[in-house]
Amino acid sequence: EVLRFLKELRVTEGLPVRWQANLVGSSNYFHQVTDIAKAVRDLGAITGEGDAWLRVGSIGELHSDGLIEAPWMHEPYAGDKFGPNWKGLLRHDRETLLAICHGAADVGYQMEVHASGDAAMELVLDVYESVNQRIPIRDRRWLITHVGIFPTPRSVERARNLGVIVSTQQPV
């Protein structure tokens, strides 16, 4: 486990740089929706634990859609390559994202969910709003990462209202 290695390195040799270690964000980790709450509790260290040199970060980056190569959009695109109804890839359905994010909020984790497409951003905001109704997330600094493809003014306003950090990655 990387976090264990980093803790050991911190004690024995010192870290040459400050390190924020995010926890498992791979879709391979979370299998069945019914197992998610326990899987999140079993992750161990909570966001913010550590010191100035080594700190536990978020659960993430959890991918909601197919990255920049296949963002999940409201409108079809790339029909010449993928067919007329291609809207990108959705990696986690609403139920799975809700289970992960509710589990994270219950334990005290920060979330970092990747969403490149406009539909993916809307889905993540829907999930964050659902969690926020039960457990406020504003002060937890939850993130939506790589929102680079046509975020709507409504999405930006929703993110602002929730206090969500939007981290973009623009093509150069």
Side-chain angles (χ1 to χ4, degrees), residues 6-73:
L6 291 170
K7 285 179 178 178
E8 187 176 306
L9 182 64
R10 170 82 173 100
V11 171
T12 60
E13 299 176 35
L15 286 173
V17 296
R18 295 181 192 277
W19 201 292
Q20 176 173 301
N22 286 356
L23 301 170
V24 178
S26 167
S27 60
N28 297 330
Y29 184 77
F30 300 109
H31 299 287
Q32 301 294 322
V33 171
T34 55
D35 300 334
I36 289 174
K38 181 181 181 326
V40 170
R41 284 191 307 273
D42 290 348
L43 286 173
I46 303 296
T47 299
E49 287 184 14
D51 59 29
W53 286 94
L54 176 60
R55 182 172 312 276
V56 175
S58 63
I59 294 178
E61 163 186 339
L62 181 70
H63 294 129
S64 70
D65 68 352
L67 309 174
I68 195 69
E69 297 83 8
W72 191 47
M73 304 289 287

Side-chain angles (χ1 to χ4, degrees), residues 82-115:
F82 302 108
N85 296 318
W86 174 255
K87 293 183 179 182
L89 294 175
L90 177 63
R91 295 197 177 208
H92 294 292
D93 62 20
R94 181 181 313 273
E95 182 182 18
T96 303
L97 283 174
L98 276 167
I100 295 168
C101 291
H102 276 290
D106 287 343
V107 178
Y109 285 109
Q110 178 186 45
M111 282 300 306
E112 181 178 357
V113 180
H114 165 101

